[in-house]
Amino acid sequence: MRGVLRSLRPPALLSLPSRSICATSTLLSEVSESENPVAEVAAPRAAPTSASEEDTELYKKLSTLTKPYERHFRRTGLIGVKAGMLPYFDEWGERHAATAIILDTCEVVQVKTEETDGYVALQVGGGGNRKIKKVHFSQLGHYKQQGVRPKYHMTEFRVSKEALLPPGTPLLAKHFLPGQFVDVQGTAKGKGFQGVMKRWGFAGFPASHGASKSHRSAGSIGITGVGRVFKGKKMAGRMGGKKATMDGLRVLRVDPEKNVIIVKGCVPGPKGGFLRVTDARSRPRFPNDPPFPTFFSNPEESYDVEDAPVSARDPLSFEERYH
């Protein structure tokens, strides 16, 4: 599995800029001097060989925010990068088509409240740390004000007021539980201008007799006497290239070391595309209470790979399946 994930990992995430690069910029060097102590400690850096004092101090500050989860609470989502699809074998040996999603360098950028913005949300950045010279000056000022390094992608998640987190808080893969269901949103692959059979699944005309040069035509697009085509009529046009959401995907594996989750099924977009991963809206979401408002990693502890629980019945047994 380690070799598969490494081969699927986007090149942009294999060589993240170190903290020394940020020190060369005057604007970003002032980030460490910001008034936000959490953001100062949470600034990304090269992976330490052992638990550093900054990591321990950050964990002590963030662990005080832990609260018991209640059903009406709404947690934040994470920004992921699609690494690609791979086969996943559970404990019974059953094979599942799965997708690996990298949740690297995902952090809270800004907090929005009712008093300041009229609604409650968290602005989250992720997808890797971006080079300073490639960030627009206005965006660089926004990141500097919040005390967070620039990211490749940024989005907002509506949350309950109990789930608010300070800027600079890292969001890790263990935010999700193995066995829970998530909704994954991304931009679907663009297919260009396509006909009604591919775009909408029309059956088409007979392929043998009686259909002269109209095998893949749309057929009638209106009715007699109206004199126009009704709005929303399914016709040929541009396909794909829009936001698409896959609801209720089960989390099969959580890898804290690589910050990777593996979900069952496919997700929208190409390899390297950005994804919004949130708790499922419609299906039973959690096998047990999740970490709330998020998971805080203790640098003095090590976390193992966790797999989703499997059914007590053998899915490959003929007697158990059909009797």
Side-chain angles (χ1 to χ4, degrees):
M1 180 62 68
R2 183 187 297 268
V4 173
L5 291 175
R6 282 183 177 176
S7 63
L8 292 175
R9 197 159 189 166
L13 296 181
L14 292 175
S15 57
L16 296 177
S18 61
R19 189 164 183 161
S20 60
I21 297 179
C22 292
T24 60
S25 173
T26 306
L27 282 175
L28 209 61
S29 62
E30 299 175 3
V31 171
S32 60
E33 301 174 1
S34 61
E35 299 178 358
N36 185 358
V38 176
E40 178 183 353
V41 178
R45 55 198 173 278
T49 55
S50 60
S52 64
E53 296 181 358
E54 290 185 351
D55 292 331
T56 305
E57 182 182 355
L58 173 63
Y59 173 73
K60 291 180 180 179
K61 291 180 179 180
L62 294 179
S63 59
T64 59
L65 303 176
T66 304
K67 307 172 187 176
Y69 174 77
E70 297 184 16
R71 190 170 183 179
H72 63 276
F73 286 166
R74 188 176 181 182
R75 304 194 306 163
T76 182
L78 275 70
I79 296 178
V81 177
K82 180 178 177 179
M85 297 195 67
L86 69 161
Y88 173 85
F89 294 88
D90 59 18
E91 295 180 4
W92 289 112
E94 188 176 12
R95 182 183 185 274
H96 303 277
T99 304
I101 301 176
I102 301 174
L103 306 172
D104 214 352
T105 63
C106 191
E107 297 180 7
V108 176
V109 176
Q110 185 182 10
V111 180
K112 300 199 173 184
T113 60
E114 288 280 358
E115 295 76 14
T116 58
D117 302 279
Y119 63 98
V120 180
L122 286 178
Q123 190 180 76
V124 177
N129 297 321
R130 201 170 184 183
K131 292 184 178 180
I132 305 303
K133 64 180 181 180
K134 294 186 177 181
V135 182
H136 194 272
F137 192 81
S138 59
Q139 291 182 343
L140 191 61
H142 175 69
Y143 284 108
K144 171 184 173 295
Q145 184 180 10
Q146 302 299 328
V148 182
R149 290 186 58 184
K151 307 296 180 184
Y152 272 96
H153 190 68
M154 189 165 53
T155 186
E156 281 189 7
F157 296 98
R158 292 291 188 99
V159 297
S160 56
K161 61 181 180 180
E162 295 83 4
L164 291 176
L165 294 164
T169 303
L171 303 175
L172 307 174
K174 283 182 70 66
H175 178 82
F176 300 109
L177 297 178
Q180 81 161 90
F181 294 93
V182 294
D183 296 338
V184 182
Q185 183 185 81
T187 302
K189 294 180 181 179
K191 304 295 183 180
F193 194 97
Q194 299 297 332
V196 292
M197 292 184 67
K198 179 171 181 177
R199 192 183 185 199
W200 302 110
F202 283 18
F205 283 77
S208 57
H209 301 287
S212 178
K213 300 181 181 180
S214 58
H215 304 286
R216 302 181 65 87
S217 299
S220 175
I221 61 173
I223 58 176
T224 305
V226 177
R228 65 186 179 90
V229 179
F230 292 114
K231 290 183 178 180
K233 172 62 181 174
K234 294 181 180 179
M235 301 178 68
R238 182 170 293 179
M239 180 181 177
K242 298 180 181 179
K243 286 185 179 180
T245 305
M246 297 295 292
D247 293 333
L249 301 182
R250 190 165 186 251
V251 179
L252 298 176
R253 172 172 292 182
V254 175
D255 191 335
E257 181 183 355
K258 305 183 190 69
N259 247 1
V260 171
I261 63 172
I262 297 179
V263 298
K264 184 177 180 179
C266 58
V267 300
K271 295 180 183 178
F274 296 113
L275 303 170
R276 285 169 51 99
V277 187
T278 57
D279 298 328
R281 299 168 293 179
S282 56
R283 304 190 64 171
R285 294 183 290 180
F286 308 110
N288 46 57
D289 288 346
F292 185 82
T294 188
F295 173 80
F296 303 117
S297 177
N298 188 349
E300 298 179 356
E301 298 181 5
S302 60
Y303 302 96
D304 299 328
V305 177
E306 300 181 55
D307 291 293
V310 297
S311 173
R313 300 179 62 181
D314 186 358
L316 303 179
S317 173
F318 179 84
E319 295 182 356
E320 293 187 4
R321 175 175 291 187
Y322 298 102
H323 296 283

